Amino acid sequence: MVTVNFGTGTPEEAAEWVRYMNITKKANVKYYEVGNELYGDWHANHCTPEYYGKKAAEFIKAMKAVDPTIVVTVVWVLDGEWNKIVFEHTKDVADGVNVHHYPQHTGEENDAGLLGAPQSLNDILPGVKRQIQQWGNPNRKYEIWLTEWNSVDFKPGPQTIGIVNALFVADYLGMLAKHNIDQASYWDIHNDMTEQGGDYGYLSRTGAPDGDNIPRPSYWAFKLASQSIRGKLVESSTGNEYVSSYLTENNGKKSLVLINKMPRTRADITIMIPGFSGNAQVNLLIEENMKKGYSTESKNITKGTKITLPAYSVTTIDIQ
């Protein structure tokens, strides 16, 4: 997914990028967004929604004149007048909208608040869909992209490189699967340590205090989710609001992801899922192993098997 330069670029330049990538190089780059966070005064080229909407429409028309098969989204906020005005000018040419979500403000990080944030997507994403229905062209289908998400909006602190961010990531990925979003991009792979003691990157940057390209706890959460949240999501529940569960079936393979968001209390659960049985690989990510990576053991799972989830942990159970 490519972000074309809106702030100091032109529709002609964006069209030439599409030409270079898809006609000259035949790279088949399909997904594009027009600019990034132009609504914010932190952006050097921030502008009004009228200006952005009118010019974004020019960008999309120029880009699609080169390759009509590409998918192009426009910049939205989660909710507000910006969205309505931008769509007044782009609803007939845009293929969707892109939004960002950082549930915390810098300096106000709160572990309990962050661990409840994934479930806020139950309101946020349907809210974006309602705005599309209200202000869009009823004859067009629009995609929703979450082109940036992480835990805090800027100047990240130590929370971002600890176990809490890992739990947040695993839970958030499960919620994204639940809502079947079209695209979502974590910010980010590499960033840098801040003076506040945090880092958005799920891998350390070259020259970081802990070494080059070192996996952070959120990396291990991504890896666990990538192995276990695949295929078809099946309804599941633990009956405990502080313990999230995501059950999937993927080509006959069944997996269960369990996230204990309680900081000091273990959670004892009993597996009562029909057909969820057999030899399983059980993976566990906790604070004690969050730097080295999750532990793995084999366990035979049958109906009635009891599992203890340590405090602040991600557990995945993959039936082999």
Side-chain angles (χ1 to χ4, degrees), residues 53-246:
K54 290 177 182 178
K55 193 172 178 183
E58 296 176 15
F59 269 75
I60 297 170
K61 291 173 185 176
M63 293 163 68
K64 290 201 168 195
V66 176
D67 183 352
T69 70
I70 62 175
V71 179
V72 189
T73 65
V74 292
V75 172
W76 265 24
V77 291
L78 292 178
D79 188 16
E81 190 72 7
W82 169 280
N83 298 349
K84 178 182 178 182
I85 295 171
V86 167
F87 243 32
E88 286 175 0
H89 303 286
T90 60
K91 65 183 179 182
D92 294 327
V93 291
D95 298 300
V97 301
N98 61 77
V99 295
H100 295 171
H101 182 219
Y102 296 92
Q104 301 179 118
H105 297 305
T106 184
E108 300 177 4
E109 291 97 329
N110 176 280
D111 291 349
L114 180 61
L115 294 176
Q119 283 64 45
S120 70
L121 293 177
N122 285 329
D123 296 319
I124 289 171
L125 294 179
V128 174
K129 289 179 181 178
R130 282 194 297 272
Q131 293 172 78
I132 286 175
Q133 292 168 353
Q134 183 177 359
W135 297 320
N137 181 334
N139 298 317
R140 290 179 67 85
K141 184 179 183 299
Y142 301 97
E143 295 192 4
I144 298 174
W145 298 356
L146 183 58
T147 52
E148 285 185 30
W149 65 272
N150 203 327
S151 58
V152 60
D153 51 10
F154 64 105
K155 294 181 180 179
Q159 185 194 66
T160 52
I161 55 175
I163 190 65
V164 169
N165 218 73
L167 304 183
F168 161 75
V169 163
D171 203 12
Y172 203 97
L173 290 168
M175 291 300 296
L176 291 174
K178 177 180 176 180
H179 286 278
N180 199 26
I181 194 168
D182 295 294
Q183 192 261 43
S185 299
Y186 181 78
W187 184 268
D188 54 1
I189 298 175
H190 292 101
N191 209 80
D192 208 354
M193 293 292 293
T194 65
E195 61 182 12
Q196 288 75 21
D199 189 346
Y200 285 122
Y202 76 5
L203 297 174
S204 66
R205 189 171 179 171
T206 301
D210 49 346
D212 301 346
N213 230 36
I214 301 299
R216 299 277 168 62
S218 292
Y219 168 87
W220 298 115
F222 254 98
K223 188 165 185 179
L224 285 174
S226 73
Q227 294 168 174
S228 301
I229 302 179
R230 288 186 174 273
K232 177 184 177 182
L233 194 66
V234 181
E235 185 70 27
S236 66
S237 174
T238 65
N240 185 334
E241 64 178 313
Y242 301 111
V243 182
S244 296
S245 67
Y246 301 98

Side-chain angles (χ1 to χ4, degrees), residues 283-301:
N283 303 305
L284 175 66
L285 181 67
I286 52 177
E287 190 167 18
E288 287 73 21
N289 65 18
M290 67 179 185
K291 294 183 178 179
K292 299 181 300 180
Y294 52 83
S295 62
T296 300
E297 66 171 343
S298 294
K299 187 177 182 68
N300 187 52
I301 302 295

